[in-house]
Amino acid sequence: MTIDHDMDTIRRQNSMATSRVNDPHFARALAAFTLSFRDIQSTTQNKRPNALSLSALANALSALRVHFHRDPPRPLWDRLADFTAAWPGLPPRSPSPIPVRVSAQVFEAFCQDMERPLAEYRATGVLANVWVVAGLGRDERRNAQVLAWFLDNHGNHGQDSLVLRTLLESLEGRLPAGFPRSSHFQRGYKTYVESCPDGDMTNRVDIEITSDDAFVFLELKIGAPERAGQLDRYYQLAKRRANGQAVGVLYITPGGKRREPVRSEERAHIVEISWADVAKALRRSATVLLVDHPVRHYLNQFATHINAL
């Protein structure tokens, strides 16, 4: 099979071989190959060729190949032109899609059969979302109030620090070395909404979480733009507040990115996350609660709400 393939290659390049006849090295190689091939042809009329004949043919073919491989390959633009010319005539990779035929009668029967199950499912109340009904919308202050309630270990939801621990643990792989961990809040903490840590109303933090070992500022953005130097001021404020405590700023936006570049000194203390990241942490928190626990539903409903921000 290899001999036939090589012979086809030689035939396709016959014009190239003709141009090389004046090369004495090529002429000798071609003569050696021709003699070896004829020897094989005469031998195979009566019996199988011996190993010496095959070896001689292989050596002659190898010597001949060197001359055919001397020419450089065709330029890419030439081959690309051939491809674009042949492209319209290429067959499709997959057959044409089979048209879907819908029977109106079958679909009507399906809808009628689903009416009762859907009504029973709706009656369970699982489709309700108290946060949508409450009109949180894209209001940053209202959403901050609800998120702070979940994060508060003294909240009347009764889940202690479950949500804060889960949020920080879910971000573990993204938190720099100097950022507070869940272990910093094991001995309890306080949660403040719209806090002014230094008394300056221009430095109003959406959520502040403070313990003896650490404190975290949460800045929430939904539709409002990031004010110039806002996070830098929060970071500088955190540095001034720190008294051996670990400090950090969580910047929460729909896309999880800030507009201003993060300076090198801030990278250990400012972490950018998305509302979708928070939603994942809320859903993970809900999984530890009983299926019919009301707070489980509140967590999942708020996760659904903020995931769409």
Side-chain angles (χ1 to χ4, degrees), residues 167 274-285 299-300 302-308:
L167 176 61
S274 67
W275 283 104
D277 294 324
V278 180
K280 290 178 183 177
L282 295 179
R283 294 190 189 280
R284 187 175 300 178
S285 301
L299 285 165
N300 285 326
F302 191 59
T304 299
H305 166 67
I306 64 175
N307 199 50

Coordinates of all heavy atoms in Angstrom, one line a residue, residues 167 274-285 299-300 302-308:
L167 N -20.8 32.9 52.9 CA -20.4 33.8 51.8 C -18.9 33.9 51.8 O -18.2 33.7 50.7 CB -21.0 35.2 52.1 CG -20.5 36.3 51.1 CD1 -20.8 36.0 49.7 CD2 -21.1 37.7 51.6
S274 N -19.8 39.5 42.3 CA -21.1 39.9 41.6 C -22.3 39.5 42.5 O -22.1 38.7 43.4 CB -21.2 39.1 40.3 OG -21.3 37.7 40.5
W275 N -23.4 40.0 42.1 CA -24.7 39.6 42.8 C -24.9 38.1 42.6 O -25.5 37.5 43.5 CB -25.8 40.4 42.3 CG -25.9 41.8 42.9 CD1 -25.5 43.0 42.2 CD2 -26.3 42.2 44.2 NE1 -25.7 44.1 43.0 CE2 -26.2 43.6 44.3 CE3 -26.7 41.5 45.3 CZ2 -26.5 44.3 45.4 CZ3 -27.0 42.2 46.5 CH2 -26.9 43.6 46.5
A276 N -24.5 37.6 41.5 CA -24.7 36.1 41.3 C -23.8 35.3 42.3 O -24.2 34.3 42.7 CB -24.3 35.8 39.9
D277 N -22.6 35.9 42.6 CA -21.8 35.2 43.7 C -22.5 35.2 45.0 O -22.5 34.2 45.7 CB -20.5 35.9 43.8 CG -19.6 35.8 42.6 OD1 -19.7 34.7 41.9 OD2 -18.9 36.8 42.3
V278 N -23.2 36.3 45.3 CA -23.9 36.4 46.6 C -25.1 35.4 46.5 O -25.4 34.7 47.5 CB -24.4 37.8 46.9 CG1 -25.2 37.9 48.2 CG2 -23.2 38.8 46.9
A279 N -25.8 35.3 45.4 CA -26.9 34.4 45.2 C -26.5 33.0 45.5 O -27.2 32.2 46.1 CB -27.6 34.6 43.9
K280 N -25.4 32.6 45.0 CA -24.9 31.2 45.1 C -24.7 30.9 46.6 O -25.0 29.8 47.1 CB -23.6 31.0 44.4 CG -23.8 31.0 42.9 CD -22.4 30.8 42.2 CE -22.6 30.9 40.7 NZ -21.3 30.8 40.0
A281 N -24.1 31.9 47.3 CA -23.9 31.7 48.8 C -25.2 31.6 49.5 O -25.3 30.8 50.5 CB -23.0 32.8 49.3
L282 N -26.2 32.4 49.1 CA -27.5 32.3 49.8 C -28.1 30.9 49.6 O -28.7 30.3 50.5 CB -28.4 33.4 49.3 CG -28.0 34.8 49.6 CD1 -29.0 35.8 49.0 CD2 -27.9 35.0 51.1
R283 N -28.0 30.4 48.3 CA -28.6 29.1 48.0 C -27.9 28.0 48.8 O -28.5 27.0 49.3 CB -28.6 28.8 46.5 CG -29.5 29.8 45.7 CD -29.6 29.3 44.3 NE -30.2 30.3 43.4 CZ -31.6 30.4 43.4 NH1 -32.3 29.7 44.1 NH2 -32.1 31.3 42.6
R284 N -26.6 28.2 48.9 CA -25.8 27.2 49.7 C -26.2 27.2 51.1 O -26.3 26.1 51.8 CB -24.3 27.4 49.5 CG -23.4 26.4 50.1 CD -22.0 26.6 49.8 NE -21.7 26.6 48.4 CZ -20.5 26.9 47.9 NH1 -19.5 27.2 48.6 NH2 -20.3 26.9 46.5
S285 N -26.4 28.4 51.7 CA -26.9 28.5 53.1 C -28.2 27.8 53.2 O -28.5 27.2 54.3 CB -27.0 30.0 53.5 OG -25.8 30.6 53.3
L299 N -34.3 32.7 51.7 CA -33.0 32.7 51.1 C -33.0 32.5 49.6 O -32.4 33.2 48.8 CB -32.1 31.7 51.8 CG -31.6 32.1 53.2 CD1 -31.0 30.8 53.9 CD2 -30.5 33.2 53.1
N300 N -33.8 31.4 49.3 CA -33.8 31.1 47.8 C -34.6 32.1 47.0 O -34.2 32.4 45.9 CB -34.6 29.7 47.7 CG -33.7 28.6 48.1 OD1 -32.5 28.6 47.9 ND2 -34.3 27.5 48.6
F302 N -34.7 35.4 47.7 CA -33.8 36.6 47.6 C -32.7 36.3 46.6 O -32.3 37.2 45.8 CB -33.3 37.0 48.9 CG -32.6 38.3 48.9 CD1 -33.2 39.5 48.5 CD2 -31.2 38.4 49.3 CE1 -32.6 40.7 48.5 CE2 -30.6 39.6 49.3 CZ -31.3 40.8 48.9
A303 N -32.2 35.0 46.6 CA -31.2 34.6 45.6 C -31.7 34.8 44.2 O -31.0 35.2 43.3 CB -30.7 33.2 45.9
T304 N -33.0 34.3 44.0 CA -33.6 34.5 42.7 C -33.7 35.9 42.3 O -33.4 36.3 41.1 CB -35.0 33.8 42.7 OG1 -34.8 32.4 43.0 CG2 -35.6 34.0 41.3
H305 N -34.1 36.8 43.2 CA -34.2 38.2 43.0 C -32.9 38.8 42.6 O -32.8 39.5 41.5 CB -34.8 38.9 44.2 CG -34.8 40.4 44.1 ND1 -35.5 41.1 43.2 CD2 -34.0 41.2 44.9 CE1 -35.2 42.4 43.4 NE2 -34.3 42.5 44.4
I306 N -31.9 38.7 43.4 CA -30.6 39.4 43.1 C -29.8 38.8 42.0 O -29.0 39.5 41.4 CB -29.7 39.4 44.4 CG1 -29.3 38.0 44.8 CG2 -30.4 40.1 45.5 CD1 -28.3 38.0 46.0
N307 N -30.1 37.6 41.6 CA -29.4 36.9 40.5 C -29.9 37.6 39.2 O -29.2 37.5 38.2 CB -29.7 35.4 40.5 CG -28.7 34.7 39.6 OD1 -27.5 34.8 39.8 ND2 -29.2 33.9 38.7
A308 N -31.0 38.3 39.2 CA -31.5 38.9 38.0 C -31.2 40.4 38.0 O -31.5 41.1 37.0 CB -33.0 38.8 37.9

